[in-house]
């Protein structure tokens, strides 16, 4: 059907059920017998004995089994940080350093490297993805370069910073501009996925829409602008199911998604915008081909804190560049000048303020460059930037 299936694979801990792996033969056969290494205090579960060859082989076989026999297209590994650090969720005196005196779990590191190398060797075409919330170096570097060997890593820092920014009242965003731009300091250090995940819509956090400030119009406009920023930003995209519908309530695992929201103008328009973004993302190679290198990205404007506007370019070899302009203030900016690398006509491909997406209908006709140096370029364009919006432009000769 052309749909990739990625499984949530959890080798970091396992449940205490007596009928399962816990004390399988009456002894801690699968779990580490040392409670400092074999008991997960945060989740109340057992931790595998990664230092035992038989346990590692069991887990390797399990990973391969899902990929070879069930044809899974990838494995997303939960809680990698809890595996990497001996002191994860532990106070002083509750953990013992490794043989070098450090906090790294060397056996877990070996396990992850061997797991990734084995899966990629045995099942070409699959991907492995780490949910890793720290700055552990080389999560997506090859194992022969001392990396962990994952194909992708969730960019938890980007998620935290940008959600914190977009939840602020627009009048205060000028004082927190770094939250929307800081991620670019490390955006190309790993092969990143941008995750708006299940963890962001449960446990009292509310839905993504519910965290937006302002009245109903501003909340939907904020969310459209944020999704536009996310789709333009380097990194693969992950949006938790239902977040494209704009529900007010957080996710309920005992219920179904609120499809009836599509009978309402706001959610239906938001859904149309996400669909538009997906189409544009597939249509324009510059938006997806070069995510893991600064060669695919140029920050054009990053210091307009007063207007809460940022602009950047996405590039790909032998493809047209895409200019992304984001305005996180509820005011329209007319005649807003932005430097561009090529002289000629620039066309607006789409923007989140169009009426079809629930916006005010502000749009730019094709614009010609002026010989006005700006932002380090010899030429520039003057555009109208709609309120609380993301606009996409392309050079068209």
């Amino acid at each position: 059907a052309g749909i990739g299936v990625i499984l949530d694979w959890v080798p970091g801990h396992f449940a205490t059920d007596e009928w399962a792996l816990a004390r399988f033969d009456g002894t801690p056969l699968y779990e580490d017998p040392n409670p400092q290494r074999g008991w997960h205090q945060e989740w109340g579960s057992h931790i595998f004995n990664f230092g035992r060859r038989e346990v590692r082989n069991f887990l390797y076989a399990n990973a391969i089994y899902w990929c070879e026999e069930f044809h899974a297209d990838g494995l997303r590994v939960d809680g990698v940080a809890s595996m990497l650090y001996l002191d994860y969720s532990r106070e002083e005196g509750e953990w013992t350093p490794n043989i070098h005196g450090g906090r790294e779990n060397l056996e877990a590191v070996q396990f992850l490297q061997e797991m990734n190398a084995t899966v990629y060797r045995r099942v070409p075409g699959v991907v492995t993805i780490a949910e890793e919330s720290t700055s552990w170096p080389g999560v997506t570097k090859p194992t022969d370069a001392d990396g962990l060997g994952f194909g992708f890593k969730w960019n938890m820092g980007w998620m935290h910073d940008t959600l914190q920014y977009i939840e602020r009242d627009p009048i205060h965003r000028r004082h927190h501009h770094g939250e929307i731009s800081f991620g670019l300091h490390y955006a190309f250090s790993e092969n990143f996925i941008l995750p708006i995940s299940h963890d962001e819509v449960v446990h009292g956090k509310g839905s993504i829409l519910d965290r937006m400030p302002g009245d109903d119009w501003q909340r939907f406009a904020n969310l459209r602008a944020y999704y536009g920023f996310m789709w333009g930003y380097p990194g693969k995209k992950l949006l938790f199911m239902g977040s494209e519908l704009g529900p007010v309530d957080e996710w309920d695992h005992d219920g179904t998604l609120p499809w009836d929201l599509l009978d309402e103008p706001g959610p239906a328009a938001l859904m149309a915008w996400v669909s538009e973004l997906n189409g544009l993302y597939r249509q324009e190679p510059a938006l997806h081909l070069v995510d893991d290198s600064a060669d695919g990205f140029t920050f054009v404007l990053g210091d307009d804190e007063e207007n809460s506007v940022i602009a950047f370019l996405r590039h790909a070899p032998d493809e047209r560049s895409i200019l992304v302009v984001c305005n996180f203030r509820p005011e329209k900016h007319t005649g807003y000048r932005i430097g561009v690398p090529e002289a000629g006509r620039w066309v607006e491909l789409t923007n989140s303020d169009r009426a079809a997406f629930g916006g005010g209908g502000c749009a730019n006709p094709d614009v010609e460059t002026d010989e006005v140096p700006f932002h380090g370029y010899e030429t520039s364009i003057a555009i109208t930037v709609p309120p609380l919006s993301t606009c996409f432009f392309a050079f068209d000769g």
Side-chain angles (χ1 to χ4, degrees), residues 134-147:
T134 74
S135 56
W136 184 282
V139 172
T140 58
K141 286 185 178 178
T143 55
D144 58 9
D146 294 326

Side-chain angles (χ1 to χ4, degrees), residues 1-6 71-73 282:
I3 299 172
V5 177
I6 299 173
H71 310 290
D73 299 289
R282 297 186 65 178

Side-chain angles (χ1 to χ4, degrees), residues 339-343 369-380:
V340 291
E342 295 170 287
T369 55
D370 303 314
E371 293 183 7
V372 177
F374 227 69
H375 299 138
Y377 295 109
E378 294 299 317
T379 59
S380 58

Side-chain angles (χ1 to χ4, degrees), residues 113 116 137-151 188-191:
Q113 289 176 323
N116 281 313
V139 172
T140 58
K141 286 185 178 178
T143 55
D144 58 9
D146 294 326
L148 294 182
F150 283 95
F188 311 111
S189 60
E190 302 277 4
N191 299 332

Side-chain angles (χ1 to χ4, degrees), residues 92-138:
E92 186 175 350
E94 296 178 343
W95 63 282
T96 302
N98 62 35
I99 58 173
H100 305 299
R103 58 197 283 254
E104 301 81 11
N105 188 330
L106 302 179
E107 290 84 3
V109 171
Q110 179 188 5
F111 160 71
L112 290 170
Q113 289 176 323
E114 291 180 355
M115 182 277 297
N116 281 313
T118 303
V119 168
Y120 277 106
R121 182 178 66 251
R122 287 280 299 265
V123 198
V126 302
V127 295
T128 60
I129 303 164
E131 186 217 13
E132 203 286 305
S133 56
T134 74
S135 56
W136 184 282

